Amino acid sequence: MTRVFSGVKPTGHLTLGNYLGAMRQWAAVDQHRSDALFCVVDLHALTVDHDPARVRRLSRQSASLLLAAGLDPGLCTVFVQSHVDEHARLSYVLECVATDGEMRRMIQYKEKAARERERGGSVRLSLLTYPVLMAADILAYGTDEVPVGHDQTQHVELARDLAVRFNQRYGHTFVVPRATNPAVAARVMNLQEPTSKMGKSDDVGPGIVYLLDEPDVVRKKVMRAVTDSGREVVYDREERPGLANLLEILAACTGGGPAELAEAYDSYGALKKDTAEAVVEVLRPVQRRHQELCADPGYVEGVLREGAEKARGMARPTVDAAYRAIGLLPPVNAAR
């Protein structure tokens, strides 16, 4: 079967964008058609200043929400990145294949480093090198496909480049992965800044709908969404980004097409109301299942424990092969 890997970073509460752009696809399609692994990539949350207790809390919440969104441990592997040592083991080996120039060309590094410097903070080395850790996440499992948002495609391209380079220099070791992007709502935008992604790492604000927001909070945020000048409801991502974002969200929730849905509305208010209700209904079963999982923490812990054991067994042969290929001496006990 096709091997699929993707993950979520516990740097903030998961959002509507995470669900519509990724998690729902994982549950409805990817876990059924492939040998799929889904990971809480907690090591990536350490690249910026953070509260350790908050990272642990958000890691548990993210794992519970992945299960609440419909991931079935009987069909896929759900685990936490730091529970599988092979990620860190392989990351250093790949750092020995990557170049400084490649890292500094990463768009997210440029943007995040600039923001950190503006705040007067120092930039952690891990922020520069974490795309290599992401490549290790992918390559350790012989991944064929990586379902990601468009903003992460560059990182998958780096993983491809490193796999090809390693294979050419040291012998065929890694599968060369490819990125896949969902067609609709691949990038849900901030309701107050519709040219910016609805990111979970952002400060709490009216433009971000979180998966655990109460229905009335969701309605209030959507009804206050920024729209564009003019009165006609049309779908135009370039000229009318606010309206386009609402139409794409409604389309993702109802299964329609953004342009076709626009034809049914003659006012912004009606569009916002229908979009708000559609979002509330989409989130309702996720929130209900999350409440059930919170009442049974032992179940979630068991899923993560078994998932890590399974992932470890899948990754270790590839990582061991990479160690041998690049010239590292096997441990003595393994050589006997």
Side-chain angles (χ1 to χ4, degrees):
M1 296 178 68
T2 299
R3 178 69 55 80
V4 168
F5 178 94
S6 200
V8 294
K9 184 164 58 174
T11 50
H13 298 284
L14 294 177
T15 72
L16 178 67
N18 296 123
Y19 181 68
L20 295 181
M23 295 162 63
R24 188 172 64 171
Q25 170 83 10
W26 299 347
V29 178
D30 292 325
Q31 69 173 344
H32 297 282
R33 70 172 181 85
S34 63
D35 183 9
L37 300 99
F38 300 106
C39 181
V40 178
V41 287
D42 55 343
L43 293 175
H44 293 292
L46 310 185
T47 61
V48 295
D49 189 35
H50 63 277
D51 173 11
R54 185 171 188 265
V55 171
R56 285 191 290 269
R57 184 171 65 253
L58 289 175
S59 295
R60 285 192 292 267
Q61 184 185 90
S62 296
S64 297
L65 281 169
L66 288 176
L67 298 173
L71 293 186
D72 182 348
L75 297 174
C76 65
T77 305
V78 180
F79 65 105
V80 175
Q81 179 190 33
S82 63
H83 295 176
V84 180
D85 293 344
E86 278 65 28
H87 291 254
R89 287 181 61 208
L90 183 56
S91 181
Y92 180 75
V93 168
L94 293 179
E95 284 186 13
C96 298
V97 179
T99 68
D100 176 75
E102 285 176 315
M103 297 300 98
R104 295 186 187 280
R105 286 194 295 271
M106 291 287 118
I107 294 172
Q108 288 205 6
Y109 169 73
K110 292 180 180 179
E111 294 176 347
K112 291 180 179 179
R115 288 198 296 268
E116 193 66 32
R117 292 189 183 101
E118 287 175 1
R119 290 195 291 262
S122 58
V123 179
R124 300 186 181 191
L125 179 61
S126 56
L127 184 62
L128 178 67
T129 60
Y130 95 88
V132 179
L133 176 58
M134 183 174 175
D137 299 339
I138 296 165
L139 298 181
Y141 297 99
T143 302
D144 299 295
E145 296 181 4
V146 188
V148 292
H150 292 288
D151 60 320
Q152 292 289 336
T153 300
Q154 186 186 35
H155 290 157
V156 180
E157 289 301 316
L158 175 67
R160 289 175 55 85
D161 292 342
L162 295 180
V164 169
R165 189 178 306 154
F166 191 101
N167 291 345
Q168 290 175 341
R169 290 181 181 176
Y170 306 113
H172 185 78
T173 305
F174 299 116
V175 172
V176 180
R178 60 184 179 276
T180 58
N181 304 119
V184 177
R187 198 178 191 199
V188 177
M189 312 306 279
N190 189 298
L191 294 174
Q192 292 297 313
E193 300 177 22
T195 58
S196 301
K197 178 184 175 183
M198 186 184 284
K200 61 181 178 295
S201 301
D202 297 337
D203 293 334
V204 174
I208 308 165
V209 175
Y210 296 103
L211 295 187
L212 297 180
D213 277 346
E214 294 290 337
D216 285 346
V217 174
V218 172
R219 293 184 182 101
K220 184 178 295 185
K221 288 179 177 180
V222 176
M223 293 303 295
R224 293 180 178 177
V226 168
T227 49
D228 313 283
S229 60
R231 296 182 178 179
E232 185 181 6
V233 179
V234 295
Y235 178 66
D236 187 330
R237 167 53 69 184
E238 297 300 322
E239 299 296 327
R240 311 285 287 278
L243 278 175
N245 190 36
L246 289 171
L247 288 164
E248 288 180 355
I249 292 171
L250 181 60
C253 291
T254 63
E260 291 75 20
L261 287 171
E263 297 175 358
Y265 293 94
D266 56 13
S267 72
Y268 295 169
L271 171 61
K272 287 182 175 182
K273 183 177 179 181
D274 285 356
T275 302
E277 293 305 319
V279 171
V280 167
E281 290 306 312
V282 161
L283 295 185
R284 193 184 303 280
V286 177
Q287 294 177 350
R288 184 185 307 119
R289 178 57 178 153
H290 180 260
Q291 290 178 343
E292 295 171 354
L293 291 169
C294 287
D296 189 7
Y299 171 77
V300 177
E301 291 173 2
V303 168
L304 296 179
R305 182 174 57 251
E306 293 175 8
E309 291 174 358
K310 184 178 177 182
R312 200 175 298 121
M314 297 166 71
R316 184 166 294 165
T318 298
V319 177
D320 286 349
Y323 269 50
R324 290 192 300 270
I326 205 169
L328 298 178
L329 190 67
V332 174
N333 60 347
R336 292 175 179 171

